[in-house]
Amino acid sequence: MVTYKENELQLTADVLVIGGGPAAAWAAWAAAAQGVKVIIADKGFLGTSGAAAASGNGIMAPSPEHWDKVLQERYRIGKDLANLRWIERVIEKTWLSLLLVENWGYRFPKENGESVRQSYYGPEYMRVLRKNLLRVGVQILDQSPALELLLADDGSVAGARGIQRQHHRAYTVRAAAVVMANGGCAFLSKALGCNTNTGDGMLMAVEAGGELSSMEASNHYAISTAFNATVTRGVPFGWASYTDEAGNDLGGYVNGRRDPAFLPHALMKGSVYARLDKATPEVQAVIEKSHFIAFLPYKKAGIDPYTERVPVTLVLEGTVRGTGGIRIIDETCATTVPGLYAAGDAASREFLAGLASGGGGPNAAWAISTGQWAGEGAAAFAKSLGAHANERVARGTGQVGWRSASPTAETYDNEAIVRGVQAQMFPLEKNYLRSEQGLLDSLAKLETLWQQVQGKPKQETVRDVEFSRRAVALTAVARWAYFSALHRTESRSEHIRVDYPETDPNQRYYQATGGLDKLWVRRDWITKAVATTPVFTYSSPSRSGL
């Protein structure tokens, strides 16, 4: 007998934010600042769960005199797919927002008496954001993963349902608007802080009628020690020498910088070892202070990484440091579902990065800025519906892994489904180096898994419910990723097709995708001319007062 529904919690709000990282926190704060009632529901404990809380991170927040330089660099990296207007907005909004963080109590390091707001220490950053949410009256639901969206009869969002682990019950939040900010999908690869990022937001958005975009940019891998393949911080490895099993030098550098394509190809040939022997004592001091979590595996194992070789590997971070996500359609971060907004890694970052990775500083800035725009947009939408918005008739949109089509269907094995998805997504020869035949083979196997999850989900406990939906989300995201990759017949940034190795200048479009049982793709052509020499043009009252 299913017992988790017996004491279901019923709540109402103007805006519901789903997620618990920086984007969600900024969205909840921005919505509350508009004078509306806000509830935020996090899969973990808001402040300690997620990629941002796991370690330190850089932020793309240059001072105004460097805005043009950063703009040009980001646009170049986007390989003609990035959007100048969006890059400008993100840079300025982030720089201004970090002043708020400092006012809320975060202590940035100082140089010559001035605050240096170029990075944050994740645990303290998230502690400050949580404390600020409580200060402005946001209601926080911890350990409360949302699992399906609610829709009103007119197709607009009306809230969400989920479960609360610690109370062993279901919950429903009726809301006039929803912000999806619950991260991307790393396929349970154990990348640092990413095991809460399982694609739930993308699944819920598509079920409600939303679209995804740039899902072919879903194959970002990060370097880690092989004996503790979790800490994916690559900066220290910029001072490494690489050798094979026999100790032969493998190179790995182009013009003095680590070649991102080197390690995947080397690992497909055999074991690779790294020794951080290029780091001077001065560099060692800096990287150990800034990236101290990357040195914990060495310390625990009693290894001196500067003198000893260590085996290295690549860990899939998928769309977390990739680009694909929920398609946003305007500057408020609205989606194609009325009342539904997306922010942070849950949203496609194609406007900021094209198909390249926005990992690190750019994604941190994207979370800060899109979180606020989505929160403000959601608050405005909620106000437009008036006081009776939560009296609308609403229905749940979740199906697969939530409601069984047949009471006699066979119960599927959640863990077996997850392992099946990982078998297609983890291998470099499948996901890093893609080909038509390889993608078709993987899609066929993923389709078999999709048919299996049409069966009966296990629902005896709240954990059963969560894990059943998680298995469905992972399967769905993998299918969207490979289906999109199949239809982009070129290599561009992180999307590499061995059968189409060149970048095709005629394929200047974003690729939307969606569908559940029947997948689809659509080309959204970019009509704006390529900017040859980007110059910062975005102007606002906030900048004129600098």
Side-chain angles (χ1 to χ4, degrees):
M1 177 180 178
V2 176
T3 60
Y4 70 92
K5 292 182 179 178
E6 292 180 357
N7 59 341
E8 182 171 341
L9 177 66
Q10 303 278 348
L11 298 171
T12 60
D14 296 307
V15 173
L16 169 65
V17 179
I18 298 174
W26 280 101
W29 172 79
Q34 302 304 308
V36 301
K37 180 181 178 182
V38 180
I39 293 176
I40 186 168
D42 185 21
K43 181 184 287 189
F45 181 87
L46 193 154
T48 63
S49 66
S55 67
N57 202 47
I59 315 172
M60 188 181 71
S63 54
E65 62 268 23
H66 298 298
W67 285 357
D68 281 332
K69 178 181 178 181
V70 175
L71 169 69
Q72 293 178 35
E73 177 67 7
R74 288 311 309 170
Y75 189 78
R76 181 191 64 79
I77 291 173
K79 289 192 175 181
D80 300 337
L81 296 188
N83 183 291
L84 274 177
R85 167 75 173 174
W86 276 83
I87 299 172
E88 291 173 344
R89 296 177 73 224
V90 168
I91 289 173
E92 181 177 42
K93 188 68 169 178
T94 303
W95 187 80
L96 293 170
S97 298
L98 293 181
L99 295 170
L100 290 171
V101 179
E102 192 164 40
N103 290 336
W104 295 337
Y106 187 89
R107 296 182 179 180
F108 289 99
K110 292 184 179 295
E111 290 183 5
N112 300 320
E114 297 291 328
S115 296
V116 181
R117 306 181 195 95
Q118 299 296 315
S119 63
Y120 61 71
Y121 174 55
E124 177 63 13
Y125 176 63
M126 291 307 304
R127 185 193 70 80
V128 169
L129 292 184
R130 181 186 178 98
K131 182 178 179 180
N132 186 58
L133 292 182
L134 294 173
R135 180 184 63 82
V136 298
V138 172
Q139 183 177 357
I140 301 174
L141 303 181
D142 293 310
Q143 305 295 333
S144 302
L147 299 176
E148 73 165 343
L149 288 174
L150 305 179
L151 285 187
D153 289 341
D154 63 358
S156 62
V157 75
R161 289 196 184 102
I163 56 96
Q164 291 193 299
R165 298 191 191 108
Q166 294 175 320
H167 298 288
H168 307 285
R169 66 185 178 191
Y171 74 88
T172 297
V173 177
R174 291 297 306 271
V178 175
V179 177
M180 197 68 75
N182 53 351
C185 184
F187 299 98
L188 294 177
S189 65
K190 298 183 179 179
L192 188 64
C194 292
N195 267 19
T196 55
N197 300 138
T198 52
D200 317 281
M202 286 181 270
L203 173 64
M204 287 188 282
V206 172
E207 288 177 329
E211 299 179 348
L212 309 178
S213 193
S214 293
M215 288 301 293
E216 61 270 34
S218 54
N219 59 334
H220 184 84
Y221 290 83
I223 188 171
S224 174
T225 59
F227 61 84
N228 187 352
T230 295
V231 181
T232 50
R233 288 297 177 265
V235 171
F237 291 101
W239 286 272
S241 294
Y242 297 93
T243 53
D244 61 15
E245 187 77 42
N248 299 310
D249 184 15
L250 295 175
Y253 290 86
V254 175
N255 296 326
R257 303 186 67 177
R258 185 159 63 90
D259 176 11
F262 152 73
L263 191 54
H265 289 278
L267 284 169
M268 282 187 278
K269 297 176 182 178
S271 298
V272 176
Y273 296 81
R275 180 168 52 226
L276 308 184
D277 54 3
K278 295 179 181 291
T280 64
E282 292 77 16
V283 169
Q284 293 176 23
V286 171
I287 61 177
E288 286 188 38
K289 181 180 179 180
S290 302
H291 299 273
F292 64 91
I293 196 168
F295 287 84
L296 288 179
Y298 301 120
K299 292 182 179 180
K300 289 182 177 180
I303 294 172
D304 179 358
Y306 305 112
T307 60
E308 299 179 58
R309 295 196 315 159
V310 296
V312 294
T313 189
L314 286 170
V315 179
L316 180 64
E317 292 182 320
T319 71
V320 176
R321 287 203 203 184
T323 299
I326 302 168
R327 179 172 169 259
I328 52 180
I329 61 173
D330 64 25
E331 293 190 351
T332 70
C333 298
T335 72
T336 53
V337 180
L340 179 65
Y341 297 77
D345 292 350
S348 171
R349 281 131 288 158
E350 59 197 10
F351 298 148
L352 180 68
L355 299 184
S357 171
N363 275 2
W366 178 260
I368 292 170
S369 53
T370 58
Q372 292 177 78
W373 296 324
E376 292 165 359
F381 185 90
K383 289 179 178 180
S384 73
L385 294 185
H388 302 289
N390 289 330
E391 297 175 10
R392 296 174 294 169
V393 175
R395 61 178 177 84
T397 58
Q399 294 297 326
V400 183
W402 183 255
R403 299 175 177 87
S404 179
S406 169
T408 61
E410 184 177 348
T411 302
Y412 60 85
D413 183 336
N414 295 328
E415 294 306 312
I417 297 295
V418 171
R419 290 193 299 271
V421 171
Q422 292 173 335
Q424 301 310 311
M425 301 306 293
F426 284 1
L428 292 164
E429 60 272 20
K430 292 177 181 286
N431 201 1
Y432 178 75
L433 296 180
R434 295 162 164 175
S435 67
E436 180 178 8
Q437 190 57 55
L439 290 166
L440 288 172
D441 289 346
S442 287
L443 281 166
K445 293 180 174 65
L446 291 169
E447 185 63 30
T448 298
L449 296 176
W450 183 251
Q451 294 305 314
Q452 291 176 13
V453 297
Q454 306 294 317
K456 186 176 180 181
K458 189 176 181 182
Q459 294 187 325
E460 294 304 309
T461 68
V462 293
R463 278 294 199 181
D464 291 337
V465 177
E466 178 186 357
F467 290 168
S468 293
R469 281 290 275 175
R470 185 178 73 179
V472 173
L474 292 172
T475 308
V477 174
R479 291 167 75 233
W480 290 317
Y482 277 176
F483 196 70
S484 294
L486 179 66
H487 285 83
R488 186 176 281 277
T489 53
E490 65 164 348
S491 291
R492 188 186 292 261
S493 300
E494 296 206 331
H495 170 64
I496 299 174
R497 287 284 299 265
V498 295
D499 45 354
Y500 295 96
E502 302 299 324
T503 298
D504 182 357
N506 295 317
Q507 294 193 37
R508 192 166 173 254
Y509 56 79
Y510 301 126
Q511 196 164 244
T513 188
L516 294 166
D517 294 328
K518 184 177 178 60
L519 305 182
W520 58 266
V521 294
R522 182 188 69 243
R523 293 179 176 181
D524 291 335
W525 291 94
I526 301 171
T527 57
K528 201 166 187 178
V530 174
T532 54
T533 307
V535 177
F536 207 105
T537 59
Y538 183 64
S539 179
S540 70
S542 57
R543 191 184 183 195
S544 63
L546 293 177

